[in-house]
Amino acid sequence: MNEENEQRGNVRSARRQQQKQASRMRMMKIGAAVAVVLLLVGAGTGLYLHSRNNASENSVAKTSETTQSSTASTTASSETEATQESSEATEPSGAISEQLQAVVADYSKKIEDKTPVLIEEYQAEIQNNQDGVNGLSVIANRKARELQALSDEGISKLRGMYQDASNKEDIDLDTMINQLSASYTAQVARISDIYLRTSAELQAATPSSESSSEETTPSAEATPETTETSESQANQYTAQSTEDTSNQAATTVVREGEGPNQIAQRTGVPVETILSLNGMTMDDFFFNPGQELRLN
């Protein structure tokens, strides 16, 4: 009986020890689990705080970069505006010269393109001409004046741009005007050539009526009063002509691009006088470069 009780007591003691060990193992597992959880929570908290610090630093850095970029942009904009103002204030003469040359080229092209059109119009209009060579001259002069209007428009534009330029250094305006005038002269010579050819053809086709007019038209006898008046007027004109001749040249030669007004301005002789002395009027004149005109 004692042995059985002892064995039972040993069994109970062994079970208690096993239960204690099992309880200790459970506590150790629970503690380990809690420790792991605490470590994870601590790590997450640390990462969160670290990311917030980095985000704050990045935000500060970006704000600084944005401020620097804005400052740099403002500075660059100010420098650009200052450069543009400086450029506008002192525009290089080379740019103005190129613009003026472009005007010369543009109007030279306009004059060149207009000439064939005017020649066609001339040839069409002379078909209805009833005034002989004088009629041809009127038509040719009208066409030449259209070219001259284009040339004058281009020259006026050149002078206006030159006056408005802030920097006129190394700009030869006279040369550019001469270039445009040369283009006008070359094209108006084409109209002159067609006029000379058609007038020569007309004169060749027109029979001479001088002898027939002498036979059919009686000469008017001058009365004494008419003779005296004519002699008085002739003496007056001779005296006036002699006085004028002493003060100015007897003739002049037409220069390239000149019309009645230009010749009058150059010689000092009124336009009406020049036209009258050379058998022309403001509605009927035609000048060729190199043509000799009477001035008195």
Side-chain angles (χ1 to χ4, degrees), residues 42-194:
T45 303
L47 290 173
Y48 172 73
L49 294 175
H50 181 69
S51 63
R52 284 192 61 184
N53 291 334
N54 286 341
S56 177
E57 292 176 357
N58 291 336
S59 176
V60 172
K62 288 181 179 179
T63 302
S64 177
E65 290 177 358
T66 303
T67 303
Q68 292 176 354
S69 175
S70 176
T71 303
S73 176
T74 303
T75 304
S77 177
S78 300
E79 292 177 353
T80 302
E81 291 177 357
T83 302
Q84 290 178 347
E85 291 176 358
S86 176
S87 175
E88 292 175 355
T90 57
E91 189 173 7
S93 60
I96 297 298
S97 181
E98 291 177 359
Q99 293 174 9
L100 293 174
Q101 286 290 356
V103 172
V104 173
D106 180 40
Y107 275 88
S108 296
K109 185 70 166 53
K110 287 181 179 180
I111 292 171
E112 183 178 353
D113 293 343
K114 184 71 172 178
T115 301
V117 177
L118 294 175
I119 290 176
E120 289 182 4
E121 292 176 357
Y122 171 84
Q123 291 175 329
E125 291 177 21
I126 64 175
Q127 302 302 320
N128 300 321
N129 174 45
Q130 302 295 328
D131 296 329
V133 175
N134 288 336
L136 297 182
S137 177
V138 171
I139 298 172
N141 275 309
R142 191 161 56 241
K143 303 308 173 186
R145 281 196 292 272
E146 291 189 40
L147 285 187
Q148 186 175 2
L150 276 176
S151 176
D152 292 344
E153 181 181 336
I155 291 173
S156 176
K157 189 170 184 178
L158 286 173
R159 287 174 174 160
M161 292 176 63
Y162 179 81
Q163 292 296 329
D164 294 338
S166 58
N167 186 2
K168 300 180 177 64
E169 186 177 358
D170 299 330
I171 298 178
D172 192 348
L173 180 63
D174 291 338
T175 298
M176 295 179 185
I177 291 177
N178 290 337
Q179 289 174 353
L180 184 54
S181 297
S183 298
Y184 157 73
T185 302
Q187 297 306 317
V188 82
R190 296 173 61 185
I191 297 178
S192 175
D193 290 341
I194 195 69

Side-chain angles (χ1 to χ4, degrees), residues 218-224 226-227:
S219 59
E221 295 182 359
T223 62
T226 305
T227 303

